[in-house]
Amino acid sequence: VDMSTTLGARRLANPLMTASGCAANGQELHRFFDVSELGAFVTKSVMSEPRSGRGTPRMAETPSGMLNSIGLQGPGIQAFVEHDLPWLASVGATVLPSIAGGSATEFAHVAAVLRSSDAFGCVAGVEVNISCPNVANRGLVFACDPLSSAKVIALVREQVPRDVPIFAKLSPDVTDITAIAAACVKAGADGLTMINTLLGMSIDTDRLRPHLGGVTGGLSGPGIRPVAVRAVWQVRAAMDEGRMPTVPIIGVGGVRTGTDALELVAAGASAVQVGTASFNDPTAPVRVLRELTGLLEEKGFATFDEVVGIAHGRQ
Ligand code: RRO
């Protein structure tokens, strides 16, 4: 099976990626498998300055997945381009850096520093994280408002070379994800990543207090997979019906097996990210690639491309 996939101006060897935030900047995961085997490695969202994130505890397990309130811990863009990106380039990884900001101008600044990096050659695209649920000011999730989303995307698009696609990472916590998706594409997004974590919380019934120091957190893992499949499906349908331009979708949310990945692909995803599953099995991204390839072979497909969006029945 030809597993290569096209994301904007780039052709990737295969559709499997890490999900942002779940494998930091690659060094740890590289102890378990060669990260250059992935279609792309997606890094933890990076902001302009170093950040320590929110207070602990900031992870909690629930039966349906994991809650996190990390709060954008990271080294800052300068250290990222000096250390992390050159390391990823040195091991031959194809990289999708994830960028974040507290304002549209901060996003643009982070993108500008990234573009000027000597290691920018390994960058196959930039994921613009407008959907972090753990920003200090809860009123400020860009991806919950079409105008705020569009502003960030337009400013980042100006900073990133035309042949490097930018992907808007969307939040599931909106009433109409197709409206946000359309606003991002109109503003210059070359693709969409769906979905970020779903806002949730849990309470420690011994202490009778919230589990997380930050009270609320983002839910990831098996419980949100149907939400991700729904989001990818709805946006792909909006594209097929001519309600917005057609751009590639990267599907993410609770993928643990090749079968899970196939659901997102059939719903319309041209690539699939694996995040939370890596905590139990660090080799999950390459295992899912192997399983997905095996499934497509069993079903008699010659190429990955022909399966993208197949559940809509229009191909
Ligand atoms: O760092 C985080 O708290 C975080 C981010 Br930036 C995000 O996009 N999604 C998430 O669940 N946590």
Side-chain angles (χ1 to χ4, degrees):
V1 185
D2 174 2
M3 291 300 284
S4 65
T5 187
T6 308
L7 291 183
R10 299 296 173 117
R11 189 100 191 141
L12 301 182
N14 69 70
L16 257 295
M17 303 178 174
T18 49
S20 179
C22 297
N25 296 324
Q27 285 98 331
E28 268 184 300
L29 214 57
H30 199 66
R31 303 208 311 254
F32 297 93
F33 67 90
D34 181 351
V35 295
S36 72
E37 287 172 27
L38 295 168
F41 184 90
V42 188
T43 56
K44 166 76 180 163
S45 298
V46 64
M47 296 180 83
S48 57
E49 301 302 321
R51 277 170 73 99
S52 49
R54 281 193 169 170
T56 54
R58 52 190 194 180
M59 297 242 257
E61 285 188 57
T62 82
S64 40
M66 197 181 82
L67 284 165
N68 87 84
S69 61
I70 304 298
L72 278 155
Q73 180 184 11
I77 188 63
Q78 210 63 53
F80 179 80
V81 298
E82 275 167 32
H83 305 292
D84 300 294
L85 195 59
W87 180 82
L88 282 160
S90 77
V91 298
T94 300
V95 187
L96 234 61
S98 170
I99 63 170
S103 66
T105 50
E106 184 179 352
F107 274 93
H109 168 72
V110 174
V113 177
L114 182 64
R115 173 201 58 199
S116 62
S117 160
D118 290 339
F120 194 69
C122 69
V123 172
V126 176
E127 198 169 84
V128 188
N129 184 7
I130 52 175
S131 49
C132 176
N134 298 320
V135 285
N137 172 6
R138 287 289 339 291
L140 214 137
V141 177
F142 298 95
C144 292
D145 171 51
L147 286 178
S148 310
S149 299
K151 189 174 172 192
V152 173
I153 295 302
L155 288 191
V156 172
R157 186 61 278 178
E158 284 175 13
Q159 299 299 330
V160 177
R162 221 23 282 179
D163 64 331
V164 177
I166 68 169
F167 298 87
K169 177 119 178 223
L170 304 189
S171 169
D173 290 309
V174 293
T175 43
D176 181 8
I177 199 163
T178 68
I180 309 291
C184 289
V185 173
K186 192 167 172 223
D190 305 287
L192 303 159
T193 305
M194 291 181 286
I195 52 177
N196 208 317
T197 49
L198 184 69
L199 196 66
M201 74 175 284
S202 65
I203 289 176
D204 177 344
T205 50
D206 291 329
R207 292 188 304 116
L208 293 172
R209 290 289 181 277
H211 264 129
L212 294 172
V215 181
T216 60
L219 181 67
S220 61
I224 70 164
R225 201 174 74 239
V227 181
V229 173
R230 179 270 298 170
V232 171
W233 175 281
Q234 285 181 324
V235 172
R236 174 65 186 228
M239 293 173 183
D240 289 348
E241 290 159 15
R243 288 187 276 133
M244 62 179 286
T246 297
V247 297
I249 297 169
I250 302 174
V252 50
V255 171
R256 200 169 41 190
T257 66
T259 311
D260 299 342
L262 180 55
E263 272 198 77
L264 285 170
V265 175
S270 297
V272 174
Q273 298 178 345
V274 175
T276 304
S278 303
F279 290 99
N280 269 317
D281 171 15
T283 68
V286 281
R287 177 179 51 74
V288 169
L289 172 61
R290 207 168 50 236
E291 292 173 359
L292 178 62
T293 307
L295 275 172
L296 299 192
E297 203 168 296
E298 262 173 42
K299 293 180 185 293
F301 293 104
T303 66
F304 171 78
D305 280 342
E306 61 196 288
V307 189
V308 175
I310 199 168
H312 292 264
R314 296 191 188 89
Q315 282 184 329

